[in-house]
Amino acid sequence: MRHEVRFSGYGGQGIILSAVILGRAAALYDGKYAVQTQVYGPEARGGASMGQVVIDDAPILYPEVVDPDIYVIMSQQGFEKYGVRAGKDAVMLIDSDLVRSRPACRAYEIPATTEAKTALRREIVANIVMIGALVAATGVVSREAIERAVLDSVPKGTEELNLKALKRGFELGERACRS
């Protein structure tokens, strides 16, 4: 089954890293095919940035995201540039602290930035909180695969913090699905 996932936020939130981690989880640990692409440049300095991942059980013949079925939006500007045209059948996880708009599709509100600041005392792991919520809400990759991919991708010495962020994201994603 093919999934097209689009991450968006502002430069500095770890949007590109989030896409890389998801692709790594799918390809290395879940035995799926994955292709990751990104948009950066001046966006890396605070403007809207975007990373995309195509995940499929079969070889990927066309690597571009055409019609995302899953969105992870972490800023208002990211929503306006990359999420506003989400199809009605898509699923969108939005950082409820930073995104004011709400899409026409099914949306899960995840307070990732607030949780990272208050519960984990490190805003920099908000993207990892959001990845955990994404996996809990959609099952796009397994929890075991995403955990291994996070551990492979974060700086040495931050593994414990990032695992806490991921597990907090799992909890928030589960809670959002029950609401």
Side-chain angles (χ1 to χ4, degrees):
M1 171 159 218
R2 181 179 172 109
H3 289 287
E4 296 185 355
V5 184
R6 178 173 290 160
F7 292 86
S8 183
Y10 57 80
Q13 284 183 301
I15 297 302
I16 305 304
L17 178 61
S18 296
V20 169
I21 289 171
L22 182 63
R24 180 174 284 163
L28 295 181
Y29 302 117
D30 266 351
K32 299 178 188 233
Y33 295 89
V35 177
Q36 185 268 328
T37 56
Q38 58 202 20
V39 174
Y40 62 92
E43 292 88 353
R45 297 176 192 219
S49 66
M50 185 263 295
Q52 302 181 123
V53 184
V54 176
I55 298 171
D56 205 331
D57 295 327
I60 297 168
L61 302 176
Y62 187 72
E64 291 294 319
V65 169
V66 177
D67 186 23
D69 58 311
I70 301 171
Y71 291 80
V72 177
I73 307 290
M74 294 189 65
S75 75
Q76 181 63 29
Q77 186 179 12
F79 177 86
E80 291 167 4
K81 190 167 184 179
Y82 298 109
V84 73
R85 288 178 292 283
K88 65 179 176 66
D89 294 331
V91 172
M92 186 178 291
L93 284 85
I94 56 174
D95 189 322
S96 55
D97 305 313
L98 302 177
V99 181
R100 296 178 311 278
S101 300
R102 296 299 178 258
C105 65
R106 183 172 36 154
Y108 297 115
E109 296 188 26
I110 309 296
T113 299
T114 294
E115 286 295 316
K117 283 181 187 176
T118 59
L120 302 165
R121 306 223 186 289
R122 295 293 307 271
E123 184 176 350
I124 198 164
V125 296
N127 66 323
I128 304 299
V129 172
M130 207 62 153
I131 290 171
L134 164 70
V135 170
T138 67
V140 68
V141 296
S142 70
R143 290 182 185 211
E144 297 77 21
I146 202 70
E147 185 172 316
R148 290 177 71 186
V150 165
L151 289 174
D152 284 351
S153 304
V154 299
K156 296 296 176 218
T158 68
E159 297 92 346
E160 185 178 331
L161 171 65
N162 280 282
L163 283 180
K164 284 182 184 174
L166 185 67
K167 289 179 179 168
R168 185 65 187 131
F170 290 158
E171 294 167 7
L172 293 171
E174 290 167 359
R175 183 184 309 156
C177 288
R178 287 192 300 265
S179 301

